[in-house]
């Protein structure tokens, strides 16, 4: 099975712009989660989608949004970019319908740099 | 909400020495526990997991971890460190709330 695929791998944007990141989960996985990873903060949970519905959301401003499509692929969008949004954005998928006893499977991330 | 504490943000060991990475969690219900490894410019890779059953869990690359409910701990060990073990290690816990909670990570350096 193919793993979790994230595109693009690297992005450079300017403050004030918006960006869209894409994630294709492992085939058959219906849950997709997004995390922001920075050296000072570790992994911060953004949101989780299951069957096109946002099931959980972390403590991020409304500039961060996401969606999931019927084929389980997911996108996240960040509007009005700030310098502090520079980070590695990780997508993870899981098959679970209820609870998280199955592990998360991570993609290699998208490295976003805001200048 | 759950919380995960990894003691020691940086650990250095000599090649061939024991690796011990500590993880403690807070949970009011039996948790699901995981260890992940991250190499530079890559995502996180699952090392091992505890869900139910035997409390000593064996994972990939010779790593193992023991779930100790009384101590709320899930420490990661490897008898003999290899240079290729140098990486960032994350402990994580999940519960039926459909969310994972990650520790802040431990960077492992292996000294030749």
């Amino acid at each position: 099975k193919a793993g979790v695929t994230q595109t693009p791998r690297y992005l450079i944007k300017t403050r004030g712009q918006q960006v869209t990141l894409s994630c294709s989960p492992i085939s058959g996985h219906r849950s997709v989660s997004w995390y922001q990873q920075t050296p000072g903060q570790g992994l911060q949970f953004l949101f989780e989608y299951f069957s096109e519905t946002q099931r959980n959301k972390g403590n991020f401003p409304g500039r961060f949004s996401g969606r999931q499509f019927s084929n389980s692929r997911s996108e996240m969008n960040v509007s009005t970019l700030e310098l502090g949004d520079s980070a590695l954005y990780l997508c993870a998928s899981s098959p679970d319908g209820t609870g998280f006893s199955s592990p998360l499977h991570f993609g290699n991330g998208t490295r976003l740099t805001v200048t | 909400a759950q919380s995960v504490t990894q003691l020691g943000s940086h650990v250095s060991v000599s090649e061939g020495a024991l690796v011990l990475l500590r993880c403690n969690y807070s949970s009011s219900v039996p948790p699901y526990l995981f260890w992940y490894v991250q190499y530079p410019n890559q995502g996180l890779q699952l090392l091992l997991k505890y869900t139910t059953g035997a409390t000593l869990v064996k994972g990939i690359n010779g790593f193992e971890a023991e779930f100790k409910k009384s101590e709320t701990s899930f420490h990661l060990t490897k008898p003999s460190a290899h240079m290729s073990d140098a990486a960032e290690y994350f402990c994580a816990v999940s519960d039926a709330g459909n969310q994972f909670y990650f520790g802040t990570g431990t960077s492992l350096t292996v000294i030749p």
Side-chain angles (χ1 to χ4, degrees), chain A residues 9-10 33 35 37 41-43 45 48 55-58 88 90 94 97-109 111, chain B residues 32-34 36 38 40-46 48-51 88 90 93-105:
Chain A
R9 283 299 309 274
Y10 301 93
S33 301
Y35 291 84
Q37 185 179 21
Q41 299 294 320
L43 275 86
F45 173 70
E48 185 248 347
R55 194 161 59 170
N56 269 304
K57 188 177 190 303
L88 180 67
L90 292 166
S94 170
T98 54
F100 270 47
S101 61
S102 294
L104 296 175
H105 299 263
F106 284 84
N108 283 330
R111 173 75 63 184
Chain B
Y32 303 124
L33 297 160
F34 307 85
Y36 286 86
Q38 185 180 33
N41 295 318
Q42 293 186 23
L44 278 68
Q45 177 185 356
L46 180 69
L48 48 80
K49 64 178 181 180
Y50 169 79
T51 53
E88 187 90 16
F90 293 91
V93 60
S94 74
D95 58 20
N98 301 321
Q99 188 171 336
F100 272 72
Y101 300 87
F102 285 86
T104 51

Side-chain angles (χ1 to χ4, degrees), chain A residues 15-28:
Chain A
R15 272 182 302 174
Q17 289 185 315
Q18 74 165 18
V19 66
T20 299
L21 312 182
S22 180
C23 173
S24 293
I26 291 173
S27 177

Side-chain angles (χ1 to χ4, degrees), chain A residues 34-101:
Chain A
W34 288 90
Y35 291 84
Q36 182 194 66
Q37 185 179 21
T38 57
Q41 299 294 320
L43 275 86
Q44 301 292 310
F45 173 70
L46 282 155
F47 27 66
E48 185 248 347
Y49 287 86
F50 180 80
S51 292
E52 302 180 66
T53 300
Q54 187 181 88
R55 194 161 59 170
N56 269 304
K57 188 177 190 303
N59 295 322
F60 277 81
R63 300 186 297 106
F64 292 82
S65 62
R67 59 177 175 170
Q68 186 180 34
F69 302 95
S70 58
N71 62 358
S72 293
R73 191 177 70 84
S74 178
E75 290 181 345
M76 68 162 281
N77 185 78
V78 188
S79 62
T80 319
L81 283 166
E82 301 177 359
L83 294 178
D85 297 332
S86 294
L88 180 67
Y89 289 88
L90 292 166
C91 168
S93 73
S94 170
D96 271 345
T98 54
F100 270 47
S101 61

Side-chain angles (χ1 to χ4, degrees), chain B residues 65-96:
Chain B
E66 186 171 12
F67 169 55
K68 291 188 176 180
K69 184 178 179 181
S70 61
E71 299 177 7
T72 60
S73 68
F74 191 56
H75 302 330
L76 181 71
T77 60
K78 182 175 180 177
S80 176
H82 191 271
M83 295 299 294
S84 62
D85 294 328
E88 187 90 16
Y89 291 80
F90 293 91
C91 180
V93 60
S94 74
D95 58 20

Side-chain angles (χ1 to χ4, degrees), chain B residues 5 8 12 20 35 64 71 92 95 103 110:
Chain B
T5 302
S12 294
L20 171 60
W35 275 99
E64 62 182 35
E71 299 177 7
D95 58 20
V110 182

